[in-house]
Amino acid sequence: MSKVIVNGYCYKTSANFLIDTGACVSLVSTSFVQKLGYEHKIEPCSKIIAGLDNKPVPCRGQIKLEISIARTQVREIFIVCDYVENEFLIGTDIMKLLDISINFRRKLISTTHGKVSFIDQPFFLSRSTRAR
């Protein structure tokens, strides 16, 4: 099965959100927090996050951020990690708050206020690229 990734916003900055029904907490990448200029807002965190291999995932702390997916906003705490593949990993904690429904056949995420399609491949610019 392919990954469920949708586009949304953190404040007014576009971000990719990986929807992970197997995760009970939600994560944000350290690099995205730095992009927002919010490193100073990271607070200590006592949670220990385990990856799929049950090894601990190093965490920088936690931060309260406002996100918007499918025209539904929530302001919640995210665990800040270096090893997040997309800007955000949305776990069941945030899925419940946003009342997210996933339609795999139509490749849609639905909330009470809107819908958004899965994106095929997240696009990251890791270096400058010249377009012709």
Side-chain angles (χ1 to χ4, degrees):
M1 181 181 296
S2 63
K3 295 178 182 176
V4 178
I5 302 171
V6 296
N7 191 260
Y9 295 91
C10 178
Y11 299 104
K12 293 184 180 184
T13 303
S14 180
N16 291 325
F17 294 84
L18 171 65
I19 309 298
D20 187 346
T21 59
C24 58
V25 296
S26 295
L27 312 175
V28 61
S29 71
T30 303
S31 62
F32 189 77
V33 173
Q34 291 169 339
K35 179 180 176 180
L36 293 174
Y38 285 0
E39 304 96 321
H40 64 283
K41 294 186 177 189
I42 298 173
E43 299 175 352
C45 175
S46 61
K47 292 184 181 176
I48 298 173
I49 308 299
L52 290 175
D53 56 4
N54 284 330
K55 291 183 181 176
V57 176
C59 299
R60 299 262 181 146
Q62 63 185 26
I63 189 168
K64 193 167 219 174
L65 296 172
E66 182 178 291
I67 63 164
S68 174
I69 299 173
R71 297 191 298 190
T72 305
Q73 292 181 342
V74 67
R75 184 171 164 82
E76 197 53 48
I77 293 173
F78 293 84
I79 307 299
V80 182
C81 294
D82 290 341
Y83 306 109
V84 179
E85 190 175 322
N86 294 277
E87 286 95 354
F88 285 88
L89 182 146
I90 301 299
T92 55
D93 57 340
I94 302 293
M95 284 186 241
K96 290 175 188 173
L97 291 173
L98 292 173
D99 196 19
I100 286 179
S101 296
I102 304 171
N103 185 323
F104 288 99
R105 188 171 44 84
R106 292 195 174 144
K107 296 186 177 182
L108 286 174
I109 294 287
S110 301
T111 66
T112 53
H113 299 291
K115 298 176 182 178
V116 65
S117 297
F118 299 0
I119 56 176
D120 291 325
Q121 182 79 14
F123 180 73
F124 300 102
L125 269 182
S126 58
R127 58 183 166 78
S128 298
T129 304
R130 180 178 290 171
R132 292 185 181 196

